[in-house]
Amino acid sequence: MNAPTKPAAAPAAGAPRARRKERKNITSGVAHVNASFNNTVITITDAQGNTIAWSSSGQKGFKGSRKSTPYAAQMAAEEAGRKAMEHGMKTLEIEVKGPGAGRESALRALQTVGFAISTIRDVTPIPHNGCRPPKRRRV
């Protein structure tokens, strides 16, 4: 005899549902490369500033002083570039901020991924006689 079949079990009420990642068709964007002395963060946004993809040296698994190397910045830029290309991005403007070692290698990595780079701007903030320096140290 045929046994009655149970309906397929639905996911538990508290369990998060697996959402399908939507593919945005954005052809041009801005790559923000923030290269500090300790880390390099690459964020790729659309023209309005909405984040499409990002990566950093720390997120790629580098720890300590290896995070601030040009190689770590290159790995992070390639990762962010690949994620952005999945959304259809082809051309980039690049804004570089900070004094870190990963500035140039991140730019080169974005080029090797296959982006057409239109402009490169340095947006490092420069103080115009800003904060008062701390008092002289007495020993």
Side-chain angles (χ1 to χ4, degrees):
M1 288 189 127
N2 290 352
T5 58
K6 289 184 185 176
R17 293 184 74 177
R19 268 185 30 197
R20 201 178 125 272
K21 280 192 178 175
E22 72 223 38
R23 188 175 179 277
K24 305 163 182 72
N25 278 325
I26 302 162
T27 55
S28 65
V30 184
H32 303 270
V33 179
N34 191 341
S36 70
F37 288 121
N38 298 318
N39 202 355
T40 305
V41 181
I42 293 97
T43 309
I44 300 178
T45 66
D46 60 12
Q48 286 76 40
N50 303 314
T51 303
I52 306 300
W54 72 274
S55 186
S56 71
S57 303
Q59 196 237 352
K60 290 300 293 172
F62 294 94
K63 289 185 177 178
S65 61
R66 290 199 305 271
K67 272 198 309 190
S68 56
T69 60
Y71 177 71
Q74 177 185 337
M75 294 285 100
E78 285 176 6
E79 163 99 1
R82 268 189 249 107
K83 285 183 195 172
M85 279 203 157
E86 288 174 10
H87 294 291
M89 198 161 284
K90 291 181 178 66
T91 61
L92 280 181
E93 295 176 24
I94 298 180
E95 292 186 358
V96 187
K97 183 186 282 190
R103 292 165 55 109
E104 278 77 32
S105 59
L107 302 185
R108 253 180 256 119
L110 287 170
Q111 274 183 319
T112 56
V113 169
F115 285 110
I117 293 172
S118 57
T119 59
I120 300 171
R121 286 194 298 165
D122 189 353
V123 292
T124 306
I126 300 166
H128 297 284
N129 256 356
C131 299
R132 181 175 174 162
K135 285 195 292 186
R136 185 176 162 86
R137 192 163 164 263
R138 292 191 291 262
V139 181

